[in-house]
């Protein structure tokens, strides 16, 4: 058995991802290819994985980001960098606590039945048994992460980092405790960050209420009538003359027996509604600020479960029960001026349980963000951190330049407990990780835990051992790239910037940043561009795609749509197309290897190569350069598009066909070397995006250890200078073959049917050296002595025309061909009639968009051309 036959026999007839991917991935992990060495002398490249929730499962957004991070990491590793891609998970406070509480509810228990300590143990037990399935799903996708460094935000080392950061912020006056309005979930019984609130347009009611009577009457409107029980003022604009006589006076608050002042505040928009607003400082963030400015009382009128606590007939009612009851009572008193139902307005919902969020005055811990946010903005403005695409930097500045203090306490049991103790005499003590809690009667620890964004904001440095001066920090911090969706630019990225610049400030401004580059990809939408959601039924599961099409096809589909900062519309046929690409690559590689493609033999000098060889090598050199430059600029869609078209169109569809002719001639050895060299380079370039199929093919082709640790192709070693003459001649060959194939189809010849043909003309003389290839690719046989042309074609090439004369006598069924052409002619005439009808309609031409009218005109022109061509063909057929 020859070497080429043995190599080809080592490959199955078809690429079956299910049979190959798991074993390939395990070989990579077992070999330690993804493990980083902090003592290496190679330049570092580091990237941290945005930690998925421990409760999470791989969704298409994950799959996109992981594909791009893996592509970056694999390329850098091949370029000779010491690569650290660090994985881990977030403890996901609310989500995880909810999961375990639901389990307990199924047993007829609550967390309070267990108590705090036992409940936390139960969560750890759940995490050990069920958490982290997403990590196995990452392996299916091919993530080349360093599993030896896997981290969890509740690990001992990361907890130490969290407590250290809290203590330092506290000591510097950047953490404080205060009453503020927060997002409150009455179901989860905790404060929520803005990112934990989903807003939707809900049907509600807008009720206009009259406070006071006679000259003192003033009308306000609200969608939350129950909150009027907590009103402590009515506010109007200082310049609104309609209410000037009321400012400083009091009006009666209905149902309560209280009188409340009318205050003047510039926050009020005099053009909106009546120009007067009710002020409920304990239940609205804007009202809270008005209350602070005017020193208003701030009574809370409902508890943490959303139950009314204000004295009176509504006490004990749930907020949504109290709302219609209060409206009815006001109506009975003649206080309802107007009611609008339904009234669609934006309502916040808890992202975990979908409960309507209640703004609530609450005593919470806060981060004073002003100095931290300024540092985060400066780091991008002065170029230490670069945002890709650059136009999204403005969105970043909009957020960090107008950032409000951040509430970091959560009323949960699962999470990093706030390291603050309160003494019996009002003492407050904040402790670092090595300090002992105060002893003695009456000391208690703050019951709240920290927002998960607090710990994930430390992720780039805590995972590398901060606050200790570890070798990992010295080698890999700051990280090279942060890749994430633009939708969490503020919520996660800004927090990492603030904490990194603060926590690592002693290292100097350049070493304090958490990453050098921020790459922001868009969101994934369905084929119609709509947001994916379970309610719409348009969610695509990447695990399903991997089952049906393979990980490589899933990854390639996502990478081909990944334009920086732009959303991606995703359709299943794209995945099928990517699977077809992998199949095409597999079949082309098997053909090349079965015909002796080799990397063992050096590619001969250009003078010894054919024009086809020189053309493909020149094109390869350009592709190597283009792909390298595009990946450097995070242009993944463009890079994969270049690779797709070069591999499919130029290498598979053209060069392999040209090579078939050359393999039977004097240049066979050179062609085998070129076939192997180009395939070798293409597999290297494709590896970051489709790692499994390329690994299987490359190790078979080269006998090399693994593409994971192979060299990245760049520079003169991998390509040859472009040969303008060869490129021009091959372009002419391609044009000639394409036109002849079209001509054959018009003549009714079957694709594999050979036909006697004479080629002549100045253009043909210029590419006469390619006649054998032209005839082979076009299925043209040599003309015999009795050759008589029945049809001809003239093709204009760079150096003149080529006349193609064919003898179709005896090669086609004339009757069948006439029938086929008659059917095509009828279709073309119908198209002409339809387009003429539209273009003859003045209303359509005048009112339709210009591009639509232009498309109809183009369809008409194509129909006219088809009719002329078909009639000419019918006239040329024998009677």
């Amino acid at each position: 058995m020859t070497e080429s036959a043995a190599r080809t026999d080592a490959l199955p007839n078809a690429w079956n991802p299910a049979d190959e991917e798991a074993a390939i991935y395990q070989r990579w992990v077992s070999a330690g290819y993804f493990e980083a060495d902090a003592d290496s002398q190679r330049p570092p490249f580091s990237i941290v994985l945005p930690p998925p929730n421990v409760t999470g499962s791989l969704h298409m957004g994950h799959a996109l980001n992981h594909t791009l991070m893996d592509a970056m990491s694999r390329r850098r590793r091949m370029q000779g960098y010491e690569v650290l891609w660090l994985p881990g998970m977030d403890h996901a406070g609310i989500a995880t606590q909810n999961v375990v509480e639901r389990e307990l509810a199924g047993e007829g228990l609550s967390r309070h039945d267990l108590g705090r300590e036992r409940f936390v143990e139960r969560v750890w037990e759940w995490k050990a048994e069920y958490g982290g399935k997403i990590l196995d799903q990452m392996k299916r996708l091919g993530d080349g992460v360093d599993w030896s460094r896997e981290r969890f935000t509740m690990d001992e080392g990361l907890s130490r980092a969290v407590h250290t950061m809290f203590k330092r912020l506290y000591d510097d006056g950047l953490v404080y405790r205060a009453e503020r309005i927060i997002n409150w979930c009455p179901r989860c019984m905790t404060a929520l960050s803005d990112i934990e609130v989903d807003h939707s347009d809900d049907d509600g009611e807008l009720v206009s209420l009259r406070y006071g009577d006679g000259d003192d009457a003033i009308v306000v409107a609200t969608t939350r009538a129950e909150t009027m029980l907590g009103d402590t003022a009515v506010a109007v604009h200082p310049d609104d003359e309609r209410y000037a006589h009321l400012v400083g006076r009091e009006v009666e608050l209905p149902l309560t027996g209280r009188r409340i002042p009318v205050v003047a505040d510039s926050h009020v928009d005099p053009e909106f509604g009546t120009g007067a607003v009710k002020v409920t400082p304990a239940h609205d963030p804007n009202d809270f600020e008005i209350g602070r400015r005017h020193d208003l009382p701030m009574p809370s009128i409902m508890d943490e479960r959303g139950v009314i606590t204000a004295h009176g007939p509504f006490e004990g009612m749930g907020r949504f029960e109290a709302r219609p009851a209060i409206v009815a009572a006001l109506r009975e008193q003649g206080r309802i001026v107007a009611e609008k139902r339904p009234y669609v307005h934006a309502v916040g919902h808890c992202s975990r349980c979908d409960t309507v969020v209640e703004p609530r005055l609450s005593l919470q811990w806060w981060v004073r963000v002003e100095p931290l946010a300024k540092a985060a903005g400066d780091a991008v403005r002065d170029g230490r951190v670069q945002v890709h695409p650059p136009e999204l930097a403005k969105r970043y500045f909009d957020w960090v330049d107008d950032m409000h203090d951040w509430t970091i306490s959560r009323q949960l049991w699962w999470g990093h407990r706030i390291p603050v103790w309160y003494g019996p005499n009002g003492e407050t003590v904040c402790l670092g990780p090595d300090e002992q809690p105060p002893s003695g009667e009456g000391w208690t620890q703050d019951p709240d835990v920290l927002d998960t964004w607090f710990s994930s904001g430390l992720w780039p440095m805590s995972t590398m051992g901060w606050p200790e001066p570890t070798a990992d920090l010295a080698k890999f911090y700051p990280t090279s790239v942060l890749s994430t969706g633009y939708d969490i630019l503020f919520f996660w990225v800004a927090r990492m910037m603030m904490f990194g610049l603060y926590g690592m400030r002693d290292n100097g401004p350049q070493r304090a940043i958490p990453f050098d580059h921020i790459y922001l990809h868009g969101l994934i939408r369905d084929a119609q561009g709509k947001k994916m959601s379970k309610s719409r039924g348009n969610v695509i599961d990447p695990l399903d795609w991997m089952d049906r099409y393979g990980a490589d096809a899933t990854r390639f589909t996502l990478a081909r749509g990944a334009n920086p900062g732009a959303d991606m519309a995703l359709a299943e046929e794209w995945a099928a197309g990517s699977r077809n690409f992998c199949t095409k690559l597999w079949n082309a590689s098997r053909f090349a290897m079965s015909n002796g493609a080799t990397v063992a033999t050096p590619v001969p000098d250009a003078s010894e190569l054919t024009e086809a060889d020189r053309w493909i090598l020149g094109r390869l050199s350009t592709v190597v350069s283009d792909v390298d430059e595009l990946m450097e600029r995070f242009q993944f869609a463009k890079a994969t598009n270049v690779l797709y078209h070069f591999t499919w169109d130029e290498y598979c569809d053209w060069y392999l066909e040209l090579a078939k002719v050359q393999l039977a001639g004097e240049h066979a050895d050179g062609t085998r070397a070129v076939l192997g060299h180009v395939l070798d380079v293409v597999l290297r370039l494709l590896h970051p995006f489709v790692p499994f199929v390329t690994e299987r093919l490359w190790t078979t082709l080269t006998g090399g250890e693994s593409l994971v640790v192979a060299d990245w192709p760049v520079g003169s070693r991998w390509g040859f200078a472009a040969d303008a003459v060869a490129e021009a001649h091959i372009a002419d060959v391609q044009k000639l073959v394409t036109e002849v194939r079209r001509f054959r189809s018009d003549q009714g010849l079957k694709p594999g049917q050979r036909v006697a043909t004479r080629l002549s003309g100045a253009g043909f003389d210029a590419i006469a050296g390619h006649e054998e290839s032209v005839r082979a690719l076009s299925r043209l046989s040599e003309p015999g002595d009795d050759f008589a042309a029945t049809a001809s074609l003239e093709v204009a090439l760079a150096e003149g025309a080529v006349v193609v004369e064919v003898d179709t006598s005896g090669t086609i069924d004339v009757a069948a061909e006439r029938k086929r052409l008659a059917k095509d002619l009828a279709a073309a005439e119908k198209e002409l009639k339809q387009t003429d009808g539209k273009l003859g309609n003045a209303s359509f031409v005048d009112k339709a968009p210009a591009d639509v009218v232009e498309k109809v005109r183009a369809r008409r022109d194509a129909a006219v051309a088809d009719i002329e061509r078909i009639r000419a063909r019918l006239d040329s057929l024998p009677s």
Side-chain angles (χ1 to χ4, degrees):
M1 181 182 291
T2 65
E3 180 185 353
S4 60
R7 283 185 297 150
T8 309
D9 285 347
L11 296 173
N13 289 334
W15 168 245
N16 187 345
D19 293 341
E20 306 265 4
E21 290 176 347
I24 291 173
Y25 188 84
Q26 187 54 51
R27 187 170 68 85
W28 290 335
V29 172
S30 298
Y33 294 145
F34 304 140
E35 295 180 12
D37 180 3
D39 297 324
S40 166
Q41 297 304 304
R42 289 184 288 271
F45 177 83
S46 55
I47 188 167
V48 291
L49 177 82
N53 288 352
V54 66
T55 59
S57 180
L58 193 74
H59 59 61
M60 203 55 92
H62 290 133
L64 168 62
N65 197 30
H66 289 212
T67 293
L68 302 182
M69 287 187 286
D70 196 40
M72 288 186 270
S73 300
R74 287 177 183 271
R75 172 172 171 262
R76 287 299 192 216
R77 191 179 290 108
M78 295 173 75
Q79 288 178 317
Y81 286 76
E82 189 63 35
V83 173
L84 170 60
W85 183 15
L86 197 150
M89 292 184 298
D90 192 285
H91 64 280
I94 295 176
T96 309
Q97 180 156 321
N98 279 348
V99 168
V100 178
E101 286 198 78
R102 281 197 296 270
E103 276 194 356
L104 289 173
E107 301 169 16
L109 299 171
S110 75
R111 59 177 162 134
H112 301 285
D113 293 323
L114 271 65
R116 183 169 195 145
E117 184 176 342
R118 179 67 190 100
F119 176 77
V120 171
E121 289 177 5
R122 179 71 176 257
V123 180
W124 278 108
E125 291 167 4
W126 179 92
K127 188 254 181 187
E129 185 171 358
Y130 301 108
K133 66 179 180 180
I134 193 171
L135 300 180
D136 289 330
Q137 294 164 354
M138 287 163 51
K139 295 173 184 177
R140 284 200 59 191
L141 192 64
D143 284 9
V145 298
D146 185 347
W147 292 110
S148 71
R149 282 177 165 83
E150 181 188 333
R151 297 291 184 264
F152 180 55
T153 50
M154 291 281 285
D155 283 349
E156 182 179 349
L158 274 68
S159 294
R160 181 180 181 83
V162 167
H163 292 151
T164 299
M165 176 58 72
F166 187 95
K167 170 68 172 172
R168 291 186 184 180
L169 290 168
Y170 182 90
D171 289 346
D172 287 345
L174 296 174
V175 161
Y176 64 95
R177 196 178 189 218
E179 276 196 319
R180 298 281 188 276
I181 293 287
I182 46 88
N183 301 306
W184 181 265
C185 176
R187 156 62 182 77
C188 297
M189 300 276 286
T190 183
L192 303 175
S193 65
D194 289 339
I195 198 172
E196 293 164 330
V197 178
D198 294 333
H199 292 274
S200 61
D201 290 334
D202 293 2
D203 285 345
E205 61 179 355
L206 182 67
V207 182
S208 296
L209 315 175
R210 188 183 76 253
Y211 292 179
D213 294 296
D215 292 340
D216 290 346
I218 190 165
V219 176
V220 298
T222 181
T223 58
R224 301 162 66 220
E226 69 280 7
T227 64
M228 60 85 59
L229 299 175
D231 287 358
T232 55
V234 174
V236 297
H237 193 275
D239 300 330
D240 194 333
E241 295 181 359
R242 294 173 296 174
Y243 303 116
H245 68 289
L246 286 176
V247 174
R249 297 169 64 180
E250 291 184 340
V251 296
E252 182 180 345
L253 179 65
L255 305 181
T256 67
R258 289 192 287 117
R259 295 186 66 81
I260 59 176
V262 177
V263 300
D265 195 281
S266 57
H267 169 76
V268 179
D269 180 0
E271 303 298 323
F272 184 78
T274 65
V277 298
K278 59 191 287 297
V279 181
T280 320
H283 294 278
D284 183 274
N286 294 320
D287 293 2
F288 173 77
E289 296 300 329
I290 293 175
R292 288 213 300 181
R293 286 193 288 271
H294 297 275
D295 198 25
L296 298 174
M298 299 186 180
S300 292
I301 54 92
M302 66 180 77
D303 66 15
E304 65 273 13
R305 290 179 172 80
V307 174
I308 301 298
T309 56
H311 293 301
F314 312 106
E315 185 176 3
M317 289 185 179
R319 52 186 172 154
F320 299 130
E321 179 188 6
R323 183 175 298 172
I326 288 172
V327 170
L330 290 167
R331 188 183 298 112
E332 187 175 338
Q333 290 189 3
R335 295 290 176 181
I336 301 296
V337 175
E339 297 178 72
K340 184 176 181 180
R341 297 189 188 90
Y343 179 73
V344 178
H345 62 127
V347 177
H349 295 256
C350 175
S351 62
R352 300 300 175 191
C353 66
D354 203 39
T355 299
V356 173
V357 168
E358 189 66 39
R360 185 169 187 263
L361 184 63
S362 181
L363 182 62
Q364 302 284 345
W365 284 95
W366 302 80
V367 171
R368 198 181 312 278
V369 300
E370 183 180 1
L372 304 175
K374 182 182 183 304
D378 291 345
V380 174
R381 285 191 170 93
D382 63 26
R384 280 175 289 154
V385 178
Q386 297 180 36
V387 176
H388 307 271
E391 56 267 24
L392 286 185
K394 181 182 182 302
R395 183 180 298 189
Y396 174 81
F397 294 136
D398 288 344
W399 283 328
V400 298
D401 292 348
D402 190 33
M403 194 181 295
H404 302 294
D405 284 2
W406 167 26
T407 175
I408 55 173
S409 46
R410 297 290 179 269
Q411 290 64 55
L412 303 171
W413 288 354
W414 172 244
H416 296 102
R417 194 165 176 182
I418 290 174
V420 171
W421 275 255
Y422 306 110
N425 299 311
E427 304 96 329
T428 299
V429 176
C430 179
L431 301 179
D434 296 321
E435 298 175 312
Q436 292 299 315
S439 58
E441 188 176 347
W443 284 93
T444 59
Q445 185 177 358
D446 193 298
D448 291 350
V449 300
L450 288 164
D451 178 13
T452 55
W453 294 102
F454 192 98
S455 51
S456 60
L458 297 169
W459 192 249
M461 54 190 191
S462 64
T463 52
M464 296 186 194
W466 185 89
E468 306 304 322
T470 64
D472 278 357
L473 273 175
K475 178 74 173 180
F476 297 112
Y477 189 95
T479 61
S480 307
V481 182
L482 174 77
S483 175
T484 189
Y486 65 68
D487 55 324
I488 58 171
L489 177 58
F490 168 67
F491 299 106
W492 187 44
V493 179
R495 283 157 169 71
M496 287 189 287
M497 288 284 280
M498 292 192 300
F499 280 174
L501 289 162
Y502 175 78
M504 296 289 286
R505 62 191 184 279
D506 293 342
N507 290 30
Q510 190 59 49
R511 288 278 296 160
I513 59 173
F515 18 75
D516 298 318
H517 298 272
I518 300 171
Y519 167 72
L520 300 167
H521 59 74
L523 308 181
I524 294 182
R525 301 183 180 275
D526 69 12
Q528 285 71 47
K530 294 179 181 177
K531 185 177 180 180
M532 289 188 182
S533 68
K534 291 180 180 178
S535 61
R536 284 197 180 101
N538 62 349
V539 174
I540 300 174
D541 186 349
L543 300 171
D544 178 51
W545 273 19
M546 285 191 278
D547 286 341
R548 288 190 287 155
Y549 304 115
D552 286 328
T554 301
R555 292 167 59 115
F556 201 62
T557 302
L558 294 168
R560 288 195 73 192
N563 290 297
D567 289 351
M568 179 194 312
L570 204 60
E572 185 160 338
E573 54 263 32
W574 293 13
S578 295
R579 176 198 57 196
N580 294 344
F581 174 76
C582 293
T583 299
K584 183 85 168 180
L585 179 66
W586 182 268
N587 292 339
S589 300
R590 290 189 82 252
F591 167 82
M593 283 185 258
S594 67
N595 282 277
T598 181
V599 294
T601 303
V603 176
D605 291 338
S607 60
E608 301 176 41
L609 296 173
T610 68
E611 283 190 331
D613 295 336
R614 297 200 300 275
W615 161 73
I616 197 66
L617 291 170
R619 286 291 303 125
L620 177 68
S621 184
T622 301
V623 167
V624 167
S625 176
D626 288 349
V627 169
D628 203 56
E629 186 263 340
L630 289 167
M631 289 192 71
E632 204 66 31
R633 294 193 292 113
F634 305 98
Q635 294 286 351
F636 302 107
K638 292 180 179 179
T640 48
N641 204 46
V642 167
L643 286 168
Y644 177 91
H645 287 293
F646 176 77
T647 303
W648 190 302
D649 300 342
E650 296 181 274
Y651 184 68
C652 296
D653 282 358
W654 284 106
Y655 182 70
L656 289 187
E657 295 302 315
L658 295 168
K660 288 177 183 177
V661 176
Q662 296 180 177
L663 287 168
E666 59 180 306
H667 296 286
D669 288 343
T671 298
R672 292 187 182 98
V674 172
L675 273 171
H677 175 76
V678 177
L679 182 58
D680 174 21
V681 176
V682 164
L683 293 173
R684 292 172 191 257
L685 292 172
L686 283 168
H687 179 71
F689 302 106
V690 285
F692 293 106
V693 68
T694 52
E695 174 82 349
R696 186 72 166 85
L697 291 170
W698 186 84
T699 52
T700 303
L701 171 70
T702 67
E705 179 184 348
S706 173
L707 264 176
V708 178
V709 290
D711 289 339
W712 177 254
V714 65
S716 58
R717 170 188 168 191
W718 301 100
F720 288 69
D723 184 322
V725 173
E727 286 195 7
H729 285 173
I730 296 302
D732 278 349
V733 169
Q734 291 173 325
K735 181 178 181 181
L736 178 58
V737 170
T738 300
E739 291 299 323
V740 170
R741 286 172 174 171
R742 185 179 295 117
F743 180 59
R744 285 173 55 95
S745 177
D746 289 344
Q747 296 299 312
L749 294 168
K750 296 177 182 178
Q753 187 176 13
R754 291 194 170 273
V755 60
T757 306
R758 182 162 55 216
L759 303 170
S760 61
F764 178 66
D765 293 341
I767 60 169
H770 297 282
E771 179 177 0
E772 187 177 0
S773 295
V774 170
R775 290 188 177 277
L777 271 61
S778 306
R779 298 292 191 269
L780 306 178
S781 57
E782 294 280 356
D785 294 338
D786 58 347
F787 177 82
T790 60
S792 65
L793 168 72
E794 187 172 292
V795 182
L797 300 183
E799 298 185 42
V802 176
V803 177
V804 182
E805 299 171 284
V806 298
D807 179 4
T808 60
S809 59
T811 60
I812 61 172
D813 182 333
V814 175
E817 181 64 6
R818 279 190 175 279
K819 186 176 180 180
R820 183 184 71 82
L821 290 169
K823 183 179 179 181
D824 291 347
L825 180 61
E829 289 173 337
K830 181 179 179 182
E831 173 76 350
L832 179 61
K833 183 177 179 180
Q834 288 178 341
T835 53
D836 276 343
K838 284 191 174 184
L839 295 173
N841 183 342
S843 177
F844 170 77
V845 174
D846 293 340
K847 295 180 180 179
D851 62 324
V852 173
V853 175
E854 192 55 40
K855 286 179 181 177
V856 174
R857 288 197 177 106
R859 284 170 49 199
R860 183 190 184 280
D861 292 343
V864 170
D866 285 344
I867 290 169
E868 292 177 355
R869 174 180 57 80
I870 295 168
R871 285 176 175 168
R873 173 60 181 150
L874 282 166
D875 291 343
S876 70
L877 290 173
S879 302

